[in-house]
Amino acid sequence: MNRLQLLDYGRFFAAFWVILFHYTYNGILNGKITSVTETDAITAITKYGYLGVEFFFMISGYVIFFSSRNRASHQFLSSRATRLFPAYWISVIITTVFTLTISNNLPEITYKQVLINLTMLSSLFNTSFVDGVYWTLTYELIFYTSVFLALLLGLSKYLKLIFQTWPFFMLFAIYCQKDWLPLAGGYYSFFAAGAAFAIIKEDKSKLSYISLAITLLLCLNFSVNQAIQINSTKGSDYSLWIIGIIIIIFFLYFLIQNTQRVASIKLPKASLLGSLTYPIYLIHAHVGYILINHFANDENKVFIYPLIILLVGFIAYLIHSLVEKKMANFWKRFFTKHIGRPIAIIEKRVLNRNEFKG
């Protein structure tokens, strides 16, 4: 799939929105930022920035559908590892250094905790994240693992049908009150929505549109119920109407993105902005909190905040250019050798066994 430049702009905007959510609202609310107070006129908008994560999940579903087609399981897994781990590893190290050296308000971290975090499997080991934003990676890993298993089991030719029927499974799980099961609802509704848009780009069948319509209902249901819970437990005042409108805007965005005219639009620096999104997301939270607490107050925050955001963006740029881009060939060889080849052996045995049974 050719790089979709409007999608790169969208993901960069979502990352910026998440940054504003953390710096102007959530970080202050959770006591991680203590040097400044909220500005009501700003937080009335930025407090909805947490929905940028839902948009990221939609993008993930959209992109993974295309990138998983016509690929062996070992190719898919090694490519995902190459995309996820290099920037993540260096971000964990940078955040750890900031936290251990100049932080005075974030929870202390241990070296054991850092080592477990480097696996990206902290939840599996019941270990807290070095940076709270890493929780989203757990959802990404489960989604990727599910697609990988489907490919490993030789179901690649059924991937489209699997994605098309996924929303029906979620709907049934909600009806049976089993939406707590893995991949049966919640944030995975947004992954399914992204995949549904990817399918509709090429298959405009009735099943595809029904599947997409169900994902819209699932996403609205999850986000509205989540807001109701936050309002009741944390005393927030999220507007259910505004949240619903934002989710619908996400869907409209993908509808526009899918049109041939828009998909072919060339936008300046789109590829760079899209590439910076992941390292920006990984590095912005705790590093930003530390910098804000050291340098910002209510009198100077209008000047300090942009500088901190620019600094975070610069660090992200260094991670992208020096770790991801300059070392791209090294990482490709590394993950192909240590993940791709072992999985390829397993994959060959599975396929041979299936052929023998057939």
Side-chain angles (χ1 to χ4, degrees):
M1 182 185 69
N2 294 329
R3 186 138 194 165
L4 300 172
Q5 298 195 354
L6 183 64
L7 206 62
D8 284 327
Y9 267 52
R11 78 173 90 208
F12 185 81
F13 170 79
F16 185 70
W17 200 21
V18 170
I19 289 176
L20 293 180
F21 166 71
H22 284 133
Y23 288 4
T24 67
Y25 181 70
N26 194 59
I28 300 171
L29 186 67
N30 291 338
K32 293 178 180 178
I33 295 176
T34 57
S35 65
V36 299
T37 57
E38 291 181 22
T39 302
D40 292 340
I42 294 176
T43 58
I45 299 172
T46 59
K47 69 181 182 181
Y48 294 96
Y50 74 93
L51 291 170
V53 170
E54 277 82 330
F55 187 73
F56 288 145
F57 288 156
M58 288 184 72
I59 292 175
S60 185
Y62 188 87
V63 171
I64 292 304
F65 172 76
F66 289 113
S67 63
S68 61
R69 294 189 311 172
N70 304 318
R71 263 190 173 179
S73 63
H74 69 278
Q75 294 172 325
F76 173 78
L77 197 62
S78 60
S79 70
R80 288 298 90 199
T82 303
R83 176 72 183 100
L84 286 182
F85 278 101
Y88 173 74
W89 282 336
I90 193 65
S91 297
V92 170
I93 293 170
I94 292 173
T95 300
T96 298
V97 170
F98 266 80
T99 304
L100 291 177
T101 55
I102 61 176
S103 174
N104 57 8
N105 72 317
L106 295 177
E108 292 185 2
I109 58 177
T110 65
Y111 291 106
K112 178 182 177 181
Q113 178 187 359
V114 173
L115 290 175
I116 292 175
N117 266 250
L118 290 173
T119 68
M120 211 181 282
L121 299 173
S122 301
S123 299
L124 188 63
F125 294 99
N126 197 29
T127 301
S128 59
F129 299 111
V130 169
D131 190 318
V133 299
Y134 298 162
W135 69 268
T136 62
L137 299 178
T138 302
Y139 286 88
E140 295 281 357
L141 284 178
I142 293 174
F143 176 55
Y144 295 163
T145 301
S146 302
V147 175
F148 159 72
L149 290 175
L151 296 174
L152 180 64
L153 295 173
L155 301 176
S156 58
K157 61 182 179 181
Y158 301 111
L159 270 182
K160 185 175 78 171
L161 182 60
I162 291 172
F163 279 120
Q164 284 176 319
T165 55
W166 189 12
F168 293 90
F169 164 68
M170 292 183 181
L171 201 61
F172 182 72
I174 292 175
Y175 176 77
C176 297
Q177 297 183 338
K178 301 291 184 181
D179 52 319
W180 49 268
L181 291 170
L183 303 172
Y187 288 109
Y188 293 109
S189 302
F190 292 91
F191 287 97
F197 275 110
I199 292 170
I200 283 180
K201 192 173 178 67
E202 299 177 350
D203 177 13
K204 294 175 172 55
S205 65
K206 186 178 296 185
L207 176 60
S208 297
Y209 280 108
I210 293 173
S211 179
L212 177 62
I214 293 174
T215 64
L216 175 58
L217 295 177
L218 290 169
C219 291
L220 287 170
N221 177 69
F222 172 72
S223 294
V224 168
N225 284 333
Q226 183 187 50
I228 291 173
Q229 184 177 5
I230 293 173
N231 286 346
S232 62
T233 58
K234 296 187 177 181
S236 301
D237 58 345
Y238 282 106
S239 166
L240 305 185
W241 283 103
I242 291 177
I243 288 174
I245 291 170
I246 291 172
I247 300 302
I248 291 172
I249 289 173
F250 289 168
F251 276 69
L252 292 175
Y253 184 93
F254 274 89
L255 280 175
I256 295 171
Q257 166 65 61
N258 266 357
T259 62
Q260 187 174 357
R261 178 178 295 181
V262 171
S264 61
I265 290 177
K266 304 297 182 182
L267 298 169
K269 303 296 182 182
S271 179
L272 175 61
L273 293 177
S275 298
L276 288 178
T277 299
Y278 181 53
I280 283 176
Y281 179 79
L282 291 174
I283 206 70
H284 81 274
H286 281 191
V287 170
Y289 295 155
I290 292 167
L291 293 173
I292 289 170
N293 281 319
H294 272 77
F295 298 108
N297 54 52
D298 284 333
E299 286 71 36
N300 68 12
K301 63 183 179 183
V302 68
F303 303 107
I304 297 298
Y305 264 57
L307 291 177
I308 291 175
I309 292 173
L310 285 174
L311 178 59
V312 167
F314 179 68
I315 295 173
Y317 175 77
L318 292 179
I319 293 173
H320 169 63
S321 60
L322 299 180
V323 178
E324 293 185 308
K325 192 173 180 180
K326 192 171 184 178
M327 298 178 64
N329 291 332
F330 167 79
W331 293 122
K332 184 176 181 179
R333 292 193 302 268
F334 176 84
F335 288 110
T336 298
K337 178 180 179 180
H338 295 285
I339 293 181
R341 289 178 185 173
I343 295 299
I345 295 172
I346 297 173
E347 182 179 45
K348 186 176 180 179
R349 291 178 179 176
V350 170
L351 292 176
N352 288 340
R353 183 178 300 176
N354 290 341
E355 289 177 3
F356 177 76
K357 288 181 179 180

